């Protein structure tokens, strides 16, 4: 808790209460309120109360002024509620009638401020903040505010209406909280378990709710349903069951009336009820209502209901199966599984004959099927083969590639080329790979996927989905020998074409797909051979020169993976050539590419090679260039990736380095010194120190963490050889180290440790002259722990602090010029 | 009646972030998907749960349209498409699609820099989001689906900024995004044709301002930079990577060339080349002057502006540096600012708005001592200048656009409530159209009265013409009578006879009858005579006949008088008329109920 803030608070209150001042920046008031809330949550309200004179004065002066800005009034309402959230605060504000004055809606109506939605919203937010104790509820009831809240449920502002619902739920919830009830929270416990004082409150709200549900006014019914759904899911007993008893009749009427626009909100109510013990009690008719909503698939809303029922986690199985039957109907009918067409009713026929409803129905059907597939749902009575075939057939129809004799109704005209259904269908097809039994259908499935990949009409987004589905199917079909045939004879030629597509989106998705494929089939010798002998690799290499940065980056990743895979196939003659060519082109990208993404990808590829289990000594000569170029890059993320590369290099070299430093059988000391010398040769220390003083915090933080790791390692080695020296001159970071050293000396805090060599124990002027300084000395001079502490904080923690906010409010008020609202 | 609904989730009486929902002809469209730079948490994004609580935006929205690349218009897009989940089409112009990722990456960097931030997206998400974008050309009509079409118009403001016309059937909405009605150094002025939309949704940032000429501001800017450089000072201009930076670069480059100045100008981000690449690529989107001179010299190939290295900041002597980010949040611009702040010879020019919680905001508020790390303070001795170069239409420009497009209704967004109020009154007065300014979360509903095209049979037209009157003229609507046949999704107006024939129906006569009682001491014949005389005096332009069989006839209305033997003075007047004369029949019955003049 910053005491400076409390010192500034009175002045801030004065500025905010001054009607002549324009209110501060629109976010400032919210952020100030955040600060008050934080105090509140830290139980620092005592501190706030100590400052209550200024806060009380602020509130009363806002109340007294009828020309207050709506933003300030809204803030005041919220703040007052927050302060009155404790009993003590409540009493302080109630004294002298301040609380009544603040929440006096009539007064704000008179001066037209109530017209402003932010004031109405602030008023309710204030009540919400306040409603933490019994007295607050007393206040709300005695002042007749429940009625106002019920009215605000139908406010013209969505935000206000939503808040009103939230407040009503909070009130009802509050009635059942432990300090308000006589106990008893079982389902069906009656009003009697509610304190008699509060029965009227709940009755008022519930009557309002019943009236809303019985209303002819559609928006009112909608709000009523939203409240019912919130109460059901958020309130405890006895409120929940009491309300359900009351609303059951109008709810049944609404469901039986079958209004399409109410399907979603009605289902939300039932969804909420299913998650509660109400489901098990027949008198609450939850299951019956769900059944009524669903009908027998002969209503327009049935399909939407079925889609929603499928999502319920705790749904009676019979109902779920019925819903599945209904939701799959459109798919089965369109894809002409003739035995199902008999089930097709008039409503479905009608719906499928119109383009918009046909598409919407099929999308519902497909996405529900995908959801079931993700949970590997076991269908009853419908073979998964048949469902999968329907999806394949539908995808063919959408592609315009289906014999018309198969079509029972002429929906194909709606579906040919329809991207929406294509995307959704491909997603579903991908999800259906969850079922092992579908593997038998792989020929058909790969065939339809290939059709999509080959078609010149396929939209870029459709192709992306096709790739996603293909990867999934390839992953499950990888043990089958015919897969390799498919990949090398069918897939690769298409991919080759697609890497030359006019659309960068397609080229990029294709390269991403190849990368995923290579990763997924990592270790599959047949695939690796096919990849390296089919000419795909040279296609990937040529993509490195693509005109689009995103594509170049994806090509780098694909080449990277191809190189990795080649390490496993040492017999491949092309290996060395590939690596050589890849390194050459990647280094060009890292040094010359104008966009950050490809440069980032290059560094990532190096990291991945180095991380791998294979010995990749061939990349070593390039490492120092990568570290140097990456560390000096304009793009902060290239620097971050370079530091990640440095980390891997450090780990490999310093810990279990089987290849970087040879084990000469020498002492631990020699080994470490050798390892560090190796790292020095790579230019790793230059990178770390340069990055430590970078302007971007994440870069500095990462560099600092790595240097701390290094420091720990060195300090653990008891007889470390201090001969490893670094040159300060000509390095950007050298000046920083020198100035910090001088600062330290000036403070007399330099404590020369035993380990510092004689050459390090020199005077300031000496230091200026010397070029070389040992690594441990540098690590000592830099107060890395302190740096890390600061770097761990957000880069804007100072300017975004509460104190800074208050200073901003005060300085804005002192500015004589009007703050012109502007934007970019 | 069909209606159009507009609900701002952002930009309703504020300039924080734009996100406006429009429902038109059963289609739902989101206009812009911006983020609020002033918040570090979820509050910076629009609350999409108000659109659909189940999070299925793809099912609800038919498309998303992004007007330009500024973050308050597109910053929430990857969050919406990749994190909340939206798979539908996103439309923006080609330059916006190319430049958007750069700005989003810039924002991502700032987000990562500030710790503890939630809900930010990755580079991969930005790319995946961009793959969903359908790029548009100006004036190209794009069919989103069979009913919904959109068309982009030039908006000025920034490279690639566009206004959009959204049309479903005959109903249409125009959304301006941010626009500028006066050309600047590198962009032209906004333009739209007379499309007469049902609603024109316009930004109103400078609703009450008549802006001074941009030339004055430019002169002022150059003068200040020049003076500082002349006295050996350094000038820092914090900018966002793309946009205004390029405009100012052209300005300085030309000035440096003209004055033969030697002080170096640097651009810090390494994005100069990339930014200029886009300006070259989209040269057709710049103004005429740049396009003309392009053949001789590309304005975006700068001779004097070089890439910046952070060690240059310590070089002695004058220099000008463009550095990102634009509000002095963090990064390079802040690092340079800290180095130069202590010298009164130096200057920082803020060319745009700064949100609270940034150093930029503080120095613009005149704070001279800034707290930095570890309670240390930084004395701000350098000169601080604010020069708004933001390119928005002022009040005059907004009125000019209304004159261009001739909308039926106006809706103001992206501005301050008080200023909007003023402009709203002005618009309603001058153009006699309704003007709305909904707050965030408030829905404005506008009832439309769409004209429905109907085929008219030639026979009916001929008959109408035979009846005399002027020839049909599209500009002078006139009433025609006929029977409307709605069949096979077509509407035809034909003569009643033809309708009967076509539909195989026979004609039925429908007559209304009414009895009126009145006291009159005269005989029935005399009473009828008195009625005739009375009607003659009241209905002067009608043909009224007194038929000898004891009836008075006015058009199709037949009037008879009867009385009973018991009460001869009580007359019962019988009126009967056909449906065509319903109005006249009612009038006569009311008239007679009042009695006859003595």
């Amino acid at each position: 808790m910053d005491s400076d803030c409390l010192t500034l608070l009175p002045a801030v209150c004065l500025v905010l209460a001054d009607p002549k001042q324009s209110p501060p920046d629109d976010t400032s008031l919210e952020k100030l309120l955040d600060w008050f809330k934080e105090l509140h949550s830290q139980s620092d309200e005592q501190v706030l109360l100590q400052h209550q004179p200024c806060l009380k004065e602020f509130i009363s002066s806002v109340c007294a002024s009828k020309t207050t800005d709506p933003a300030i009034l809204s803030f005041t309402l919220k703040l007052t509620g927050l302060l009155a959230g404790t009993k003590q605060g409540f009493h302080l504000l109630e004294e002298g009638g301040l609380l009544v004055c603040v929440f006096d809606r009539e007064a704000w109506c008179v001066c037209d401020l109530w017209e402003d939605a932010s004031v109405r919203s602030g008023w309710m937010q204030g009540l919400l903040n306040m409603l933490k104790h019994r007295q607050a509820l007393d206040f709300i009831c005695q002042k007749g505010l429940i009625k106002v809240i019920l009215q605000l449920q139908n406010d013209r502002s969505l935000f206000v209406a939503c808040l009103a619902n939230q407040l009503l739920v909070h009130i009802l919830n509050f009635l059942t909280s432990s300090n308000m009830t006589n106990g008893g929270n079982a389902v069906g416990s009656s009003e009697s378990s509610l304190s008699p004082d509060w029965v009227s409150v709940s009755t008022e709200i519930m009557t309002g709710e019943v009236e809303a549900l019985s209303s002819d006014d559609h928006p009112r019914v909608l709000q009523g349903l939203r409240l019912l759904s919130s109460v059901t899911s958020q309130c405890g007993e006895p409120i929940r069951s009491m309300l359900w008893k009351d609303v059951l009749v109008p709810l049944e009427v609404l469901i039986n009336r079958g209004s399409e626009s109410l399907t979603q909100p009605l289902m939300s109510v039932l969804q909420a009820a299913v998650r509660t013990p109400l489901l098990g009690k027949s008198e609450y008719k939850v299951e019956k209502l769900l059944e009524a909503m669903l009908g027998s698939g002969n209503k327009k809303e049935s399909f939407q209901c079925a889609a929603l029922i499928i999502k319920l986690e705790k749904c009676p199985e019979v109902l779920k199966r019925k819903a599945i039957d209904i939701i799959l109907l459109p798919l089965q009918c369109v894809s002409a599984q003739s035995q199902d067409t008999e089930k097709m009713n008039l409503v479905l026929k009608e719906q499928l004959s119109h383009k918009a409803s046909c598409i919407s129905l099929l999308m519902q059907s497909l996405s529900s099927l995908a959801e079931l597939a993700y949970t590997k749902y076991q269908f009853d009575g419908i073979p998964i083969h048949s469902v999968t075939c329907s999806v394949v057939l539908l995808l063919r129809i959408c592609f315009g590639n289906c014999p018309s004799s198969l079509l029972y109704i002429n929906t194909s005209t709606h579906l040919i080329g329809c991207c929406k259904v294509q995307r959704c269908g491909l997603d579903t097809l991908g999800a259906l790979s969850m079922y092992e039994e579908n593997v038998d259908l792989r020929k058909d499935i790969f065939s339809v996927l290939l059709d999509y990949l080959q078609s010149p009409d396929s939209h870029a987004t459709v192709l992306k989905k096709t790739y996603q589905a293909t990867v999934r199917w390839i992953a499950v079909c990888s043990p089958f020998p015919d897969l390799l045939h498919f990949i090398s004879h069918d897939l690769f030629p298409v991919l080759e074409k697609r890497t030359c597509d006019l659309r960068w989106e397609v080229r990029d998705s294709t390269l991403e797909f190849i990368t995923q494929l290579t990763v997924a089939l990592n270790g599959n010798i047949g695939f690796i051979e096919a990849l390296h002998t089919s000419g795909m690799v040279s296609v990937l290499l040529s993509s490195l020169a693509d005109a689009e940065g995103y594509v170049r980056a994806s090509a780098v990743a694909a080449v990277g993976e191809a190189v990795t895979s080649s390490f496993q196939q040492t017999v491949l003659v092309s290996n060395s050539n590939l690596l050589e060519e890849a390194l050459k082109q990647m280094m060009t990208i890292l040094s010359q590419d104008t966009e950050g993404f490809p440069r980032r990808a290059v560094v990532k590829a190096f990291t991945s090679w180095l991380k791998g289990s294979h010995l990749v000594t061939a990349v070593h000569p390039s490492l120092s260039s990568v570290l140097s170029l990456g560390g000096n890059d304009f793009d902060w993320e290239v620097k971050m990736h370079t530091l990640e590369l440095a980390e891997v290099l450090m780990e490999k070299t310093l810990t279990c380095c089987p290849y970087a430093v040879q084990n000469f059988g020498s002492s631990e000391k020699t080994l470490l010194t050798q390892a560090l010398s190796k790292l020095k040769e790579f230019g790793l220390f230059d990178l770390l120190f340069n990055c430590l003083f970078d302007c971007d915090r994440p870069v500095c933080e990462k560099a600092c963490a790595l240097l701390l790791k290094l420091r720990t390692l060195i300090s653990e080695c008891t007889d470390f050889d201090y001969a490893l020296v670094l040159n300060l001159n000509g390095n950007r970071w050298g000046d920083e180290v020198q100035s910090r050293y001088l600062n330290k000396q000036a403070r007399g805090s330099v404590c020369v440790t035993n380990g510092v060599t004689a050459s390090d124990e020199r005077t300031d002027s000496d230091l200026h002259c010397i070029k070389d300084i040992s690594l441990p000395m540098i690590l000592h001079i830099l107060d890395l722990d302190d740096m890390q502490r600061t770097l761990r904080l957000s880069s804007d923690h100072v300017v975004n602090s509460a104190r800074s906010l208050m200073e901003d409010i005060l300085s804005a008020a002192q500015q004589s010029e009007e703050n012109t609202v502007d934007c970019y | 009646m069909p209606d159009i609904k507009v609900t701002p989730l952002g930009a309703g009486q504020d300039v924080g972030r734009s996100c406006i929902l429009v429902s038109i002809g059963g289609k739902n469209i989101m206009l812009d998907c911006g983020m609020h730079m002033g918040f570090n948490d979820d509050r910076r994004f629009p609350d999409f749960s108000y659109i659909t609580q189940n999070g299925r935006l793809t099912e609800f929205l038919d498309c998303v349209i992004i007007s330009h690349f500024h973050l308050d218009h597109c910053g929430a897009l990857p969050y919406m498409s990749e994190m909340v989940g939206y798979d539908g089409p996103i439309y923006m112009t080609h330059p916006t699609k190319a430049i958007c990722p750069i700005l989003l990456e810039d924002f991502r960097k700032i987000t990562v820099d500030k710790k503890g931030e939630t809900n930010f997206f990755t580079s991969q998400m930005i790319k995946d989001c961009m793959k969903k974008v359908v790029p548009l050309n100006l004036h190209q009509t794009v069919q989103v689906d069979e009913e919904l079409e959109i068309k982009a118009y030039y908006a000025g403001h920034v490279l690639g900024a566009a206004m959009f016309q959204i049309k479903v059937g005959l109903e249409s909405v125009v959304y301006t995004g941010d626009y500028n009605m006066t050309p600047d150094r590198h962009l032209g002025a906004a333009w739209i044709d007379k499309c007469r939309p049902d609603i024109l949704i316009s930004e109103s940032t400078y609703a009450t301002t008549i802006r001074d000429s941009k030339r004055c501001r430019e002169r002022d800017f150059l003068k200040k930079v020049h003076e500082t450089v002349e006295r050996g000072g350094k000038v820092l201009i914090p900018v966002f990577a793309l946009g205004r930076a390029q405009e100012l670069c052209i300005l300085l480059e030309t000035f440096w060339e003209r004055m033969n100045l030697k002080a170096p100008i640097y651009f810090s981000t390494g994005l100069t080349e990339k930014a200029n690449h886009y300006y070259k690529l989209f040269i057709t989107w710049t103004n005429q002057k740049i396009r003309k001179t392009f053949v001789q010299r590309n304005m975006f190939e700068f001779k004097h502006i070089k890439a910046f290295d952070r060690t240059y900041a310590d070089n002695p002597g004058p220099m000008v540096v463009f550095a990102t980010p634009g509000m002095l949040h963090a990064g390079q611009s802040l690092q340079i600012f800290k180095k130069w702040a202590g010298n009164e010879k130096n200057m920082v020019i803020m060319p745009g708005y700064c949100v609270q919680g940034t150093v930029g905001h503080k120095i613009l508020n005149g704070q001279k001592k800034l707290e930095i790390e570890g309670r240390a303070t930084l004395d701000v001795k350098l000169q601080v200048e604010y020069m708004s170069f933001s390119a928005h239409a002022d009040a005059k420009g907004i009125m000019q656009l209304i004159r261009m497009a001739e909308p039926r209704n106006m809706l103001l967004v992206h501005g301050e409530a008080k200023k909007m109020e003023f402009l709203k009154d002005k618009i309603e007065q001058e153009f006699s159209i309704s003007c709305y300014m909904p707050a965030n979360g408030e829905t404005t509903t506008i009832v439309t009265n769409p004209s429905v095209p109907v085929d008219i049979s030639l026979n009916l037209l001929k008959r109408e013409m035979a009846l005399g009157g002027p020839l049909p003229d599209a500009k002078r609507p006139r009433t025609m009578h006929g029977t409307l046949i709605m069949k096979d999704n077509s509407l035809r107006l034909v003569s009643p006879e033809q309708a009967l024939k076509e539909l195989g129906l026979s004609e039925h006569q429908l007559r209304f009858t009414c009895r009126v009682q009145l006291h009159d001491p005269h005989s029935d014949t005399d009473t009828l005579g008195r009625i005739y005389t009375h009607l003659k005096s009241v209905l002067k332009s009608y043909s009224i006949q007194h038929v000898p069989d004891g009836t008075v006839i006015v058009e199709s209305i037949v009037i008879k008088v009867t009385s009973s033997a018991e009460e001869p003075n009580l007359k019962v007047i019988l009126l009967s008329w056909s449906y065509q004369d319903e109005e006249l029949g009612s009038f006569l019955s009311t008239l007679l109920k009042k009695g006859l003049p003595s």
Side-chain angles (χ1 to χ4, degrees), chain B residues 242-258:
Chain B
L242 242 144
R244 205 153 310 134
Q246 278 62 43
E247 188 187 347
L248 297 180
C249 280
I250 296 178
L251 203 61
L252 281 187
E253 170 82 11
T254 325
F255 188 69
W256 248 236
E257 188 71 26
R258 189 154 48 90

Short mmCIF file of all heavy atoms in Angstrom, two decimals, chain B residues 242-258:
data_model
loop_
_atom_site.label_atom_id
_atom_site.label_comp_id
_atom_site.label_asym_id
_atom_site.label_seq_id
_atom_site.Cartn_x
_atom_site.Cartn_y
_atom_site.Cartn_z
N LEU B 242 3.96 2.30 -38.79
CA LEU B 242 3.44 2.61 -40.11
C LEU B 242 2.29 3.58 -40.03
O LEU B 242 1.48 3.50 -39.13
CB LEU B 242 2.94 1.30 -40.73
CG LEU B 242 3.64 0.90 -41.99
CD1 LEU B 242 3.77 -0.58 -42.07
CD2 LEU B 242 2.88 1.43 -43.18
N GLY B 243 2.25 4.48 -40.97
CA GLY B 243 1.14 5.41 -40.99
C GLY B 243 1.68 6.82 -41.03
O GLY B 243 2.30 7.25 -42.01
N ARG B 244 1.46 7.51 -39.89
CA ARG B 244 1.87 8.90 -39.84
C ARG B 244 3.37 9.06 -40.03
O ARG B 244 3.84 10.05 -40.56
CB ARG B 244 1.45 9.50 -38.49
CG ARG B 244 1.27 10.96 -38.57
CD ARG B 244 0.29 11.40 -37.53
NE ARG B 244 -0.91 10.61 -37.59
CZ ARG B 244 -1.51 10.08 -36.53
NH1 ARG B 244 -1.02 10.27 -35.33
NH2 ARG B 244 -2.60 9.36 -36.66
N ALA B 245 4.13 8.08 -39.60
CA ALA B 245 5.58 8.14 -39.71
C ALA B 245 5.98 8.43 -41.16
O ALA B 245 6.84 9.26 -41.41
CB ALA B 245 6.17 6.81 -39.26
N GLN B 246 5.33 7.75 -42.11
CA GLN B 246 5.69 7.92 -43.51
C GLN B 246 5.38 9.34 -43.99
O GLN B 246 6.14 9.93 -44.74
CB GLN B 246 4.95 6.91 -44.37
CG GLN B 246 5.60 5.54 -44.41
CD GLN B 246 5.67 4.86 -43.06
OE1 GLN B 246 4.70 4.90 -42.30
NE2 GLN B 246 6.80 4.28 -42.73
N GLU B 247 4.27 9.88 -43.51
CA GLU B 247 3.88 11.22 -43.91
C GLU B 247 4.94 12.21 -43.42
O GLU B 247 5.38 13.09 -44.16
CB GLU B 247 2.51 11.55 -43.29
CG GLU B 247 1.93 12.84 -43.80
CD GLU B 247 0.67 13.23 -43.04
OE1 GLU B 247 0.12 12.38 -42.32
OE2 GLU B 247 0.25 14.39 -43.17
N LEU B 248 5.36 12.05 -42.17
CA LEU B 248 6.34 12.97 -41.60
C LEU B 248 7.71 12.77 -42.25
O LEU B 248 8.47 13.72 -42.39
CB LEU B 248 6.43 12.77 -40.08
CG LEU B 248 5.13 13.09 -39.34
CD1 LEU B 248 5.29 12.86 -37.85
CD2 LEU B 248 4.68 14.51 -39.59
N CYS B 249 8.00 11.53 -42.62
CA CYS B 249 9.27 11.26 -43.30
C CYS B 249 9.33 12.03 -44.62
O CYS B 249 10.34 12.65 -44.93
CB CYS B 249 9.43 9.77 -43.58
SG CYS B 249 9.96 8.85 -42.16
N ILE B 250 8.25 11.99 -45.39
CA ILE B 250 8.21 12.71 -46.68
C ILE B 250 8.44 14.20 -46.42
O ILE B 250 9.21 14.87 -47.10
CB ILE B 250 6.85 12.51 -47.40
CG1 ILE B 250 6.65 11.06 -47.76
CG2 ILE B 250 6.78 13.38 -48.64
CD1 ILE B 250 5.32 10.77 -48.43
N LEU B 251 7.77 14.67 -45.38
CA LEU B 251 7.85 16.09 -45.04
C LEU B 251 9.29 16.50 -44.74
O LEU B 251 9.81 17.47 -45.30
CB LEU B 251 6.98 16.30 -43.80
CG LEU B 251 6.44 17.69 -43.54
CD1 LEU B 251 5.57 18.13 -44.68
CD2 LEU B 251 5.61 17.68 -42.25
N LEU B 252 9.94 15.74 -43.90
CA LEU B 252 11.31 16.07 -43.50
C LEU B 252 12.29 15.87 -44.67
O LEU B 252 13.17 16.68 -44.89
CB LEU B 252 11.76 15.21 -42.32
CG LEU B 252 11.24 15.64 -40.94
CD1 LEU B 252 11.91 14.80 -39.86
CD2 LEU B 252 11.51 17.11 -40.67
N GLU B 253 12.09 14.80 -45.39
CA GLU B 253 12.98 14.49 -46.52
C GLU B 253 12.97 15.66 -47.52
O GLU B 253 14.02 16.14 -47.93
CB GLU B 253 12.49 13.19 -47.18
CG GLU B 253 13.12 12.82 -48.48
CD GLU B 253 14.47 12.11 -48.33
OE1 GLU B 253 14.81 11.73 -47.20
OE2 GLU B 253 15.17 11.98 -49.35
N THR B 254 11.78 16.12 -47.86
CA THR B 254 11.66 17.22 -48.82
C THR B 254 12.31 18.49 -48.26
O THR B 254 13.01 19.21 -48.96
CB THR B 254 10.15 17.50 -49.12
OG1 THR B 254 9.47 16.26 -49.09
CG2 THR B 254 9.95 18.17 -50.44
N PHE B 255 12.05 18.74 -46.99
CA PHE B 255 12.59 19.94 -46.34
C PHE B 255 14.12 19.89 -46.29
O PHE B 255 14.80 20.87 -46.56
CB PHE B 255 12.00 20.04 -44.93
CG PHE B 255 12.32 21.33 -44.22
CD1 PHE B 255 11.76 22.53 -44.64
CD2 PHE B 255 13.17 21.34 -43.13
CE1 PHE B 255 12.06 23.71 -43.97
CE2 PHE B 255 13.46 22.51 -42.45
CZ PHE B 255 12.90 23.70 -42.87
N TRP B 256 14.63 18.75 -45.93
CA TRP B 256 16.09 18.57 -45.82
C TRP B 256 16.74 18.81 -47.20
O TRP B 256 17.77 19.45 -47.29
CB TRP B 256 16.40 17.16 -45.35
CG TRP B 256 16.99 17.05 -43.98
CD1 TRP B 256 18.17 16.45 -43.67
CD2 TRP B 256 16.45 17.53 -42.74
NE1 TRP B 256 18.40 16.53 -42.30
CE2 TRP B 256 17.35 17.19 -41.71
CE3 TRP B 256 15.30 18.23 -42.39
CZ2 TRP B 256 17.16 17.50 -40.37
CZ3 TRP B 256 15.10 18.55 -41.05
CH2 TRP B 256 16.01 18.19 -40.06
N GLU B 257 16.07 18.30 -48.21
CA GLU B 257 16.58 18.43 -49.57
C GLU B 257 16.59 19.91 -49.98
O GLU B 257 17.58 20.42 -50.47
CB GLU B 257 15.65 17.62 -50.50
CG GLU B 257 16.10 17.48 -51.92
CD GLU B 257 17.32 16.56 -52.07
OE1 GLU B 257 17.50 15.68 -51.21
OE2 GLU B 257 18.09 16.77 -53.03
N ARG B 258 15.48 20.56 -49.67
CA ARG B 258 15.32 21.96 -50.08
C ARG B 258 16.30 22.85 -49.35
O ARG B 258 16.90 23.76 -49.92
CB ARG B 258 13.87 22.39 -49.78
CG ARG B 258 13.48 23.74 -50.32
CD ARG B 258 11.97 23.82 -50.58
NE ARG B 258 11.17 23.34 -49.45
CZ ARG B 258 10.75 24.12 -48.45
NH1 ARG B 258 11.04 25.40 -48.44
NH2 ARG B 258 10.02 23.61 -47.48
#
